[in-house]
Amino acid sequence: MHRLQQELFDDESLIQRLHALGLAGVRRVESHENRSVMVSLTGSGILRVHRGFAYAPDAVLAAILTFVSPRTRRPRRRAAQQIILAFPVYSNTRGPRRRPLRPKSRPEDRHLLRRLAQLHGLLGDRFFGGELGRIRFRISRQMRRKLGELTLDARDRPVEIAISLRHIRSDGWQEVQHTLLHEMVHQWQAERGLPVDHGATFRRKARSVGVAPRAVRDVGRTH
Ligand SMILES: [Zn+2]
């Protein structure tokens, strides 16, 4: 799943679970990835919770409710705080300050990676005025339905383009070039601070680089 979508999904499920456990008296829940303050309640009634708690068991979420409730007395609040702080929140989020994982590429992938990088350079010159940044590539053996995928970091900057090995083997380089262009349009969106999606801007740019924006083969691709 796309990083951003994963985060939205996590946030939504975290908020739902907090409500299911009886969250009350809070105007809004916001998630964050701030290491120093895991949980806080602002004066205006906004509960700010670290995103990693989306993976916490109910007992930990219940401790969050206890911690922020105005009715909780100090000893209980301190006990709740200890439960909250004991949860290893960083093993569940990639965290904005961590380096992205860099899986080792297999030796047999090297010529494919080189070819993708060359193609990226050529297509970047031809269709994007040479403005796109260089990007890392990965050959994926896990992608089943997806053909390609752009990964963004926590600040929505493009990190990597993955291309399905199965796609390269069974569809050939002409098709791979289309997939690469599709991902490059997403890279272009991300580098301009535009939303990385398949909206009107995507469709316009995709058409201008000769990619059918609604191609059937794009079904199931996150980005
Ligand atoms: Zn896409």
Side-chain angles (χ1 to χ4, degrees):
M1 198 184 290
H2 186 284
R3 168 84 203 256
L4 216 56
Q5 288 185 339
Q6 182 69 54
E7 285 181 2
L8 290 173
F9 181 77
D10 288 349
D11 291 354
E12 193 51 43
S13 75
L14 174 60
I15 291 166
Q16 279 177 11
R17 288 180 59 210
L18 286 168
H19 282 292
L21 287 165
L23 179 69
V26 164
R27 209 156 53 83
R28 193 165 78 234
V29 180
E30 288 178 355
S31 74
H32 64 80
E33 291 192 2
N34 179 347
R35 260 172 202 275
S36 52
V37 189
M38 291 291 172
V39 175
S40 63
L41 183 61
T42 71
S44 54
I46 298 171
L47 175 62
R48 304 194 71 245
V49 182
H50 192 284
R51 172 167 286 141
F53 286 107
Y55 297 89
D58 280 356
V60 175
L61 297 193
I64 291 176
L65 300 191
T66 303
F67 180 71
V68 299
S69 166
R71 292 190 304 269
T72 304
R73 289 171 186 274
R74 189 180 275 183
R76 268 195 79 208
R77 176 166 289 139
R78 189 161 290 165
Q81 186 183 29
Q82 278 171 3
I83 294 170
I84 294 167
L85 293 178
F87 180 70
V89 86
Y90 278 97
S91 60
N92 298 298
T93 55
R94 275 164 283 188
R97 284 156 215 89
R98 282 204 211 168
R99 277 187 302 145
L101 287 177
R102 190 186 286 260
K104 265 199 177 141
S105 62
R106 299 191 188 194
E108 65 265 33
D109 290 349
R110 268 187 215 134
H111 77 279
L112 297 178
L113 292 169
R114 224 178 358 250
R115 188 158 179 184
L116 285 168
Q118 278 171 356
L119 203 49
H120 184 270
L122 286 171
L123 298 171
D125 285 345
R126 191 190 301 168
F127 294 112
F128 298 86
E131 286 177 1
L132 290 188
R134 283 168 63 101
I135 194 163
R136 194 172 79 211
F137 282 94
R138 181 168 56 86
I139 304 296
S140 170
R141 287 168 172 76
Q142 276 79 46
M143 288 183 189
R144 293 283 164 211
R145 286 162 57 231
K146 276 196 282 186
L147 307 177
E149 183 174 53
L150 173 72
T151 304
L152 304 177
D153 71 8
R155 296 193 180 98
D156 291 343
R157 292 171 305 201
V159 175
E160 177 187 85
I161 292 175
I163 301 287
S164 153
L165 179 64
R166 166 191 289 227
H167 178 42
I168 296 174
R169 284 193 174 147
S170 57
D171 301 329
W173 282 94
Q174 195 63 37
E175 284 301 306
V176 170
Q177 178 170 321
H178 277 99
T179 300
L180 181 55
L181 275 167
H182 180 111
E183 304 312 329
M184 287 170 75
V185 174
H186 285 316
Q187 181 186 354
W188 173 85
Q189 290 178 308
E191 287 183 355
R192 263 149 202 78
L194 299 165
V196 177
D197 59 15
H198 298 117
T201 310
F202 177 88
R203 291 197 296 274
R204 204 175 313 123
K205 190 71 178 173
R207 251 179 245 117
S208 82
V209 303
V211 177
R214 288 180 199 274
V216 174
R217 61 193 171 72
D218 189 33
V219 169
R221 167 158 46 202
T222 314
H223 278 301

